[in-house]
């Protein structure tokens, strides 16, 4: 299975895909902040005069409202297309690290799009594949966040 995942991933190298993540809503951003343990009113109370969107909120959004249907999910709960080259394969997936670079604040009302490309495929051992994915999050005014994620495929 790992050989097939590697072959599929290599075929996807450098291909950019764009997906709309919808409009940033204050209630959803506040709910996220509470879920990650924030308690500062400026992060968890949309009525607070200094309310701001948590910096990691947009990075956590993988689909626009209302979310995914069951056909988009793997048995392990991840989205089928989240780790390029692995859809439908019986492989184990693990997070292998994440780097986040902020360019601008995410604001309530921003219509966000994400561009994503697989930028690296490395065979580490006979039983391990390391995939690198770059994601760029945009609003109309420009780039908001750039994320480099690594996934371990076994």
């Amino acid at each position: 299975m790992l050989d097939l995942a590697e072959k599929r991933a290599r075929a996807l190298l450098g291909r950019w895909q764009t997906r709309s993540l919808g409009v940033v809503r204050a209630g959803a951003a506040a709910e996220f902040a509470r879920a990650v343990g924030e308690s500062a009113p400026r992060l968890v109370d949309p009525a607070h005069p200094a309310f701001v969107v948590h910096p990691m909120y947009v990075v956590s959004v993988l689909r626009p409202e209302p979310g995914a249907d069951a056909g988009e999910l793997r048995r392990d709960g991840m989205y089928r297309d989240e780790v390029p080259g692995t859809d439908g394969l019986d492989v184990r997936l693990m997070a292998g690290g994440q780097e986040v670079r902020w360019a601008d604040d995410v604001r309530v009302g921003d219509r966000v799009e994400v561009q994503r490309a697989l930028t690296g495929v490395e065979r580490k051992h006979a039983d391990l594949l390391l995939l690198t994915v770059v994601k760029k999050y945009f609003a109309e005014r420009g780039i908001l966040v750039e994320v480099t994620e690594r996934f371990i495929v076994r």
Side-chain angles (χ1 to χ4, degrees), residues 17-70:
Q17 301 170 318
T18 301
R19 170 179 287 139
S20 172
L21 297 179
V23 175
V24 175
R25 296 179 305 110
E31 185 177 321
F32 170 82
R34 286 189 297 275
V36 298
E38 296 290 352
S39 59
R42 67 182 185 81
L43 292 169
V44 300
D45 181 3
H48 190 277
F51 180 76
V52 294
V53 175
H54 191 287
M56 288 300 289
Y57 172 70
V58 74
V59 175
S60 75
V61 177
L62 300 177
R63 293 292 191 277
E65 291 286 330
D69 61 45

Side-chain angles (χ1 to χ4, degrees), residues 27-139:
E31 185 177 321
F32 170 82
R34 286 189 297 275
V36 298
E38 296 290 352
S39 59
R42 67 182 185 81
L43 292 169
V44 300
D45 181 3
H48 190 277
F51 180 76
V52 294
V53 175
H54 191 287
M56 288 300 289
Y57 172 70
V58 74
V59 175
S60 75
V61 177
L62 300 177
R63 293 292 191 277
E65 291 286 330
D69 61 45
E72 291 184 85
L73 299 174
R74 296 169 43 95
R75 286 184 318 171
D76 61 11
M78 290 183 72
Y79 286 103
R80 293 175 56 172
D81 66 352
E82 188 64 19
V83 181
T86 64
D87 187 13
L89 299 181
D90 187 21
V91 293
R92 293 184 183 165
L93 305 173
M94 296 175 16
Q98 182 182 62
E99 298 168 26
V100 182
R101 292 167 298 287
W102 287 271
D104 199 354
D105 293 334
V106 177
R107 301 175 191 156
V108 171
D110 279 344
R111 182 171 299 281
V112 178
E113 286 194 345
V114 61
Q115 294 179 346
R116 175 183 89 160
L118 179 66
T119 60
V121 178
E122 295 178 65
R123 192 66 174 256
K124 288 295 191 180
H125 301 284
D127 63 345
L128 193 129
L129 191 61
L130 181 64
L131 304 179
T132 303
V133 175
V134 171
K135 294 180 182 178
K136 297 178 181 184
Y137 297 80
F138 294 88

